[in-house]
Amino acid sequence: MSKKISGKKNKMIVVKLQGGLGNQMFQYAIASILALENKSKLKVDNLFFENKEKSIGFTPRQFELSVFNNKYLVATQKEIKAFTNLSKFNQVRHNYGLNYPKVFVETYLGYHNTVLQLKSPIYLDGYFQSYHYFEGYESFVKDLFSFSTMNLDEKNKKILTEINNSETVSVHIRRGDYVNDKLTQQFHGNCSKEYYLEAIHRMEQKSKGLTYVFFSDDIDWVKEEYANLLVKKLFVDENKGSESWKDMFLMTYCSHNIIANSSFSWWGAWLNSFSEKTVIAPKKWFLNTDANEKTKDLIPESWLRI
């Protein structure tokens, strides 16, 4: 990080981390911005990752932000309880803007214009998935999530060289729990093959000779499904499990991005620093209609939604 965040002990911001890498990045980014503005200490609540039991609608996750070179302070259970055991009276006091320990719980998906006005001490509980939160802080957030080529193995360095030597389009196909978990499927859904074919068609209209770099948590299925696609293709099948962050790293170096309805490839596209990039995202981010209506705050206006 290029800017130091410091503060008195009682001026603390604690953020509840949950979900996979992309979700954790959204949560940590907004908390870091608030810590910067409040000159406060930032700590993370990692209790979510203690649940290792797979169940319908829930996929166990682990803390994944360690792939970035940030110093993470972990909140103790005592510190977490100081916020989460607040009485209703204390939470009402928060509405009057008093400098009192308080909790902000995200009540709906989308941009909350009051979040950046929050004052420490504060506990954040939500997903905070909106590019609006980062407006004016783009360089700061990109510095938070700066990958290092030093952590790449030789196979991925070779793929990176191929990406750098041609005009490429990352294509992220998210399957996993979006396909295998009934409740997750009903809420999120997964992007259709028609979506990807149309996105590739749009890319081909803009430029010829593109190389399409496919990323997926089910890359063997993708290889079979798109084997007959008449474009230059590269399937990245090296990065699984704890190594999957390398897929996001490689996405950031592609010339253009076709993303899934996934925060993972959202970040791959957002961190892409090419000024002439074209990013295509699905109109239907959530299968759930009510949730999908809120995604206007998620997708930057410069991206094409189809």
Side-chain angles (χ1 to χ4, degrees):
M1 293 165 54
S2 59
K3 299 182 180 181
K4 300 293 183 182
I5 296 175
S6 60
K8 296 180 180 179
K9 184 177 180 181
N10 64 340
K11 292 196 70 177
M12 184 186 301
I13 290 175
V14 177
V15 59
K16 177 182 178 180
L17 296 181
Q18 53 191 320
L21 176 59
N23 285 329
Q24 293 173 43
M25 290 167 70
F26 274 111
Q27 294 148 14
Y28 189 75
I30 187 61
S32 296
I33 291 170
L34 285 176
L36 177 72
E37 292 300 327
N38 282 271
K39 297 182 172 60
S40 298
K41 182 178 294 184
L42 169 59
K43 292 194 175 186
V44 297
D45 171 359
N46 278 346
L47 294 180
F48 176 88
F49 307 117
E50 292 183 3
N51 188 349
K52 306 296 185 183
E53 296 296 323
K54 177 75 175 74
S55 59
I56 297 175
F58 178 80
T59 299
R61 301 289 188 179
Q62 60 186 359
F63 178 78
E64 297 184 55
L65 293 176
S66 56
V67 301
F68 303 109
N69 189 30
N70 300 313
K71 183 179 180 181
Y72 302 102
L73 301 176
V74 179
T76 65
Q77 289 198 17
K78 182 178 179 180
E79 288 170 331
I80 294 168
K81 286 181 179 179
F83 289 100
T84 56
N85 284 354
L86 293 174
S87 68
K88 290 183 180 180
F89 173 70
N90 289 345
Q91 294 189 41
V92 168
R93 289 172 68 93
H94 161 47
N95 294 332
Y96 293 92
L98 300 178
N99 187 29
Y100 202 87
K102 44 197 175 282
V103 174
F104 181 91
V105 179
E106 188 180 53
T107 55
Y108 59 85
L109 294 168
Y111 177 64
H112 297 248
N113 59 11
T114 59
V115 169
L116 291 174
Q117 302 169 24
L118 294 171
K119 303 299 180 183
S120 60
I122 187 77
Y123 178 95
L124 301 171
D125 182 357
Y127 288 92
F128 306 104
Q129 294 186 355
S130 173
Y131 73 97
H132 289 302
Y133 291 126
F134 310 147
E135 291 175 326
Y137 299 93
E138 288 88 353
S139 295
F140 175 70
V141 174
K142 288 181 178 180
D143 193 32
L144 282 176
F145 303 134
S146 177
F147 293 104
S148 172
T149 55
M150 297 293 292
N151 295 327
L152 282 187
D153 53 86
E154 290 305 314
K155 288 183 178 180
N156 279 283
K157 285 181 179 178
K158 182 178 178 180
I159 295 170
L160 180 59
T161 298
E162 292 184 58
I163 288 172
N164 286 333
N165 288 338
S166 56
E167 189 174 6
T168 56
V169 182
S170 74
V171 183
H172 182 225
I173 300 178
R174 167 75 181 269
R175 285 176 58 78
D177 56 343
Y178 279 22
V179 176
N180 300 322
D181 187 288
K182 183 178 179 180
L183 288 182
T184 304
Q185 166 65 217
Q186 289 174 350
F187 185 80
H188 287 276
N190 58 297
C191 296
S192 66
K193 187 173 182 179
E194 287 72 26
Y195 160 72
Y196 288 106
L197 294 178
E198 176 62 21
I200 290 170
H201 174 68
R202 300 283 186 99
M203 288 290 185
E204 289 291 295
Q205 289 180 319
K206 290 177 174 290
S207 183
K208 300 297 182 183
L210 297 169
T211 298
Y212 294 85
V213 187
F214 285 82
F215 302 89
S216 180
D217 52 2
D218 191 358
I219 197 67
D220 291 335
W221 180 91
V222 172
K223 285 180 180 180
E224 183 176 344
E225 190 72 9
Y226 292 86
N228 296 325
L229 187 63
L230 298 178
V231 296
K232 188 175 180 180
K233 304 182 290 291
L234 174 62
F235 296 100
V236 179
D237 57 5
E238 308 297 329
N239 308 316
K240 296 179 175 62
S242 62
E243 302 297 307
S244 61
W245 65 269
K246 296 175 183 177
D247 280 359
M248 185 189 292
F249 174 97
L250 294 172
M251 289 177 195
T252 69
Y253 277 88
C254 290
S255 311
H256 313 285
N257 309 92
I258 296 172
I259 71 173
N261 54 338
S262 164
S263 59
F264 187 92
S265 50
W266 187 99
W267 279 105
W270 193 86
L271 292 172
N272 180 345
S273 61
F274 287 90
S275 59
E276 301 300 317
K277 69 183 179 185
T278 295
V279 179
I280 297 180
K283 280 184 178 179
K284 185 170 287 188
W285 193 266
F286 294 108
L287 193 59
N288 179 284
T289 303
D290 291 338
N292 196 61
E293 289 178 357
K294 304 294 192 303
T295 59
K296 66 181 186 299
D297 296 325
L298 172 64
I299 307 300
E301 293 179 1
S302 60
W303 297 6
L304 174 65
R305 300 190 72 173
I306 64 173

